[in-house]
């Protein structure tokens, strides 16, 4: 897991209820859990939460102590914002703060709400909050390409990475659209124009996949930590990883295409790996260059290792939690295999829990 950005000695813990779009039920899930915690005796208060006039959310909200909002005068208009100083003075065990990506009104101590949350965590107060996956800073360009909507309120990825717990709140896109049409989420006339174009079934399906991948990646990080602590040798990934092994002695374009198609069907990460056990001649350099060019066109990561072929491939598989290996038939002669050993035999012997696919040699290149 990524290192927390908060003070580890202070004890503030962050939990994020993650959704893929407004209306999936993040605020309700947050309040529902917090209500159960409150009944068990935990000191929980509301720092900021907008019910959007939803009766179910308002009913849950009624039982909580609410920290009064701070009133800011901006160009003659009074704007209410969360009062971070009041929360710090009250020092609850947990504070509920909705909408992590919110931009504060001018005159606030911090420009962004996630900065307020960071300050509260650093003071030793735990925070339960909500956000949508499209607000992640690293996904900003991708979300704009998918939906045609440029998200202006973003949250740095390291904030989500520092959360002790992330819970995805899910709902099918069709069910969410029905909720919107009924006005159960927010009155249609109040729907933010900047996000209204996001609510097509195709866009919502794509955003939902991004959220699921984010959660899967986080689970994978936790599993990696567990593997390290328990010395588990078997790959155990929330997401499959395919390693395509190529050689400088012959073109591997068919091999790369085959491995890439396998990875696409599995929705897996994919990497092309070659090992140089000696200086390459011009012909071999050209082969690797052409193979890497194909990998680049397919948007596949490439890695070059230097040293003993079998040893380095095995090491890479173990260190990178590879789940599938795609490799071509050996072009070594029988005598070479007797003298130097078979790469495929070494892989199958040392990687017994890995799926290894041996692909026929290229013929078209």
């Amino acid at each position: 897991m990524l290192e927390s950005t908060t003070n580890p000695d202070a004890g503030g813990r962050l939990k994020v209820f993650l959704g893929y779009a407004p209306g999936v039920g993040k605020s309700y899930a947050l309040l529902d859990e917090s209500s159960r915690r409150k009944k068990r005796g935990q000191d929980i208060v509301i720092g900021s939460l907008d019910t959007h006039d939803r009766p179910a959310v308002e009913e849950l909200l009624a039982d909580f102590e609410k920290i009064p909002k701070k009133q800011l005068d901006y160009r003659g208009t009074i704007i209410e914002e969360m009062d971070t100083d009041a929360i710090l003075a009250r020092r609850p065990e947990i504070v509920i703060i909705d909408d992590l990506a919110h931009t504060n009104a001018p005159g606030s101590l911090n420009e962004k709400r996630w900065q307020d949350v960071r300050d509260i965590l650093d003071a030793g107060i735990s925070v339960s909050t909500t956000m949508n996956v499209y607000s992640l800073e690293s996904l900003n360009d991708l979300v704009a390409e998918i939906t045609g909507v440029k998200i202006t309120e973003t949250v740095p990825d390291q904030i989500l990475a520092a959360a002790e717990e992330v819970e995805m709140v899910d709902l099918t896109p069709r069910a969410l659209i029905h909720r919107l049409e009924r006005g159960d989420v927010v009155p249609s006339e109040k729907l933010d124009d900047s996000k209204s174009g996001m609510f097509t079934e195709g866009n919502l399906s794509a955003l939902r996949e991004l959220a699921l991948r984010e959660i899967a990646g986080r689970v994978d990080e936790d599993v990696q930590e567990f593997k390290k602590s328990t010395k588990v040798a078997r790959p155990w990934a929330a997401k499959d990883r395919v390693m395509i092994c190529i050689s400088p002695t012959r073109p591997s374009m068919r091999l790369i295409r085959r491995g890439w198609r396998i990875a696409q069907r599995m929705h897996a990460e994919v990497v092309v790996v070659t090992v140089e056990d000696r200086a390459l001649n011009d012909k071999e350099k050209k082969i690797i260059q052409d193979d890497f060019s194909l990998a680049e066109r397919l948007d596949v990561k490439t890695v070059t290792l230097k040293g003993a072929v079998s040893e380095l491939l095995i090491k890479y598989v173990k260190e990178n939690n590879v789940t599938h290996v795609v490799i071509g038939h050996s072009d070594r002669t029988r005598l070479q295999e007797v003298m130097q050993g078979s790469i495929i035999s070494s892989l199958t012997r040392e990687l017994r829990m890995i799926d290894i696919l041996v692909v026929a040699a290229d013929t078209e290149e």
Side-chain angles (χ1 to χ4, degrees), residues 67-354:
I67 302 294
K69 296 286 188 71
K70 177 185 291 186
Q71 294 191 335
L72 300 173
D73 186 345
Y74 178 63
R75 296 180 179 177
T77 300
I78 300 299
I79 301 175
E80 290 190 334
E81 287 288 4
M82 182 177 74
D83 193 337
T84 301
D85 290 334
I87 293 171
L88 296 175
R90 168 64 173 77
R91 294 198 64 80
E93 186 178 351
I94 303 172
V95 59
I96 294 171
I97 300 174
D98 201 20
D99 192 7
L100 187 60
H102 172 77
T103 299
N104 294 328
S108 300
L109 180 64
N110 292 310
E111 180 185 359
K112 299 289 186 178
R113 181 166 289 170
W114 63 261
Q115 295 171 315
D116 296 329
V117 167
R118 183 184 57 191
D119 292 343
I120 292 168
L121 291 167
D122 285 340
I125 301 169
S126 295
V127 175
S128 290
T129 188
T130 64
M131 68 172 289
N132 289 309
V133 72
Y134 58 64
S135 294
L136 274 177
E137 199 169 73
S138 66
L139 295 177
N140 196 248
D141 291 336
L142 180 58
V143 169
E145 290 176 8
I146 292 172
T147 66
V149 177
K150 185 69 172 178
I151 302 299
T152 57
E153 294 184 321
T154 61
V155 175
D157 290 56
Q158 60 264 34
I159 299 297
L160 186 65
E164 183 174 89
E165 186 177 356
V166 179
E167 179 177 327
M168 181 169 173
V169 182
D170 196 21
L171 187 69
T172 66
R174 175 48 50 187
L176 176 55
I177 289 173
H178 287 327
R179 293 192 67 194
L180 286 162
E181 290 172 344
R182 293 195 302 266
D184 292 345
V185 177
V186 62
S188 56
E189 66 273 11
K190 291 185 178 181
L191 183 62
D192 187 343
D193 290 338
S194 67
K195 297 187 180 70
S196 60
M198 188 178 291
F199 291 97
T200 67
E201 191 163 0
N203 285 346
L204 293 175
S205 295
L207 292 172
R208 187 187 188 204
E209 182 175 351
L210 289 179
L212 290 169
R213 287 176 179 271
E214 190 67 32
I215 291 296
R218 184 179 178 87
V219 170
D220 203 14
E221 290 174 2
D222 291 342
V223 169
Q224 288 298 317
E225 291 299 317
F226 174 76
K227 283 182 60 181
K228 290 177 183 178
S229 64
T230 57
K231 297 181 172 60
V232 176
R234 178 176 179 171
W236 187 10
K239 187 173 184 180
D240 289 306
R241 294 186 176 92
V242 176
M243 180 178 80
I244 305 170
C245 307
I246 68 172
S247 167
T249 59
R250 64 183 179 192
S252 301
M253 293 188 177
R254 181 176 184 273
L255 183 67
I256 294 170
R257 295 188 189 108
R258 180 73 181 277
W260 183 81
R261 287 195 294 268
I262 291 170
Q264 292 300 298
R265 288 197 297 269
M266 297 166 58
H267 300 288
E269 295 177 358
V270 59
V271 60
V272 169
V273 177
T274 185
V275 180
E276 297 178 2
D277 57 355
R278 52 180 171 73
L280 303 184
N281 59 40
D282 290 343
K283 180 180 179 181
E284 291 170 334
K285 290 179 181 178
K286 180 65 163 56
I287 289 173
I288 292 297
Q289 181 181 347
D290 290 343
D291 288 343
F292 276 16
S293 294
L294 173 60
E296 183 178 355
R297 293 196 298 274
L298 295 174
D299 196 24
V300 174
K301 176 184 175 183
T302 59
V303 173
T304 300
L305 307 173
K306 296 182 184 293
V309 178
S310 298
E311 178 183 334
L312 288 178
L313 289 177
I314 292 167
K315 182 181 179 182
Y316 188 91
V317 167
K318 292 180 177 179
E319 290 183 351
N320 293 274
N321 208 35
V322 170
T323 58
H324 296 72
V325 174
V326 180
I327 191 169
H329 278 286
S330 175
D331 55 0
R332 289 182 175 179
T333 65
R334 180 60 180 164
L335 178 60
Q336 287 174 322
E337 288 190 350
V338 171
M339 298 297 292
Q340 303 173 24
S342 166
I343 296 172
I344 294 174
S345 295
S346 296
L347 293 178
T348 55
R349 183 174 60 252
E350 297 295 329
L351 303 174
R352 295 183 180 273
M353 306 307 295
I354 304 295

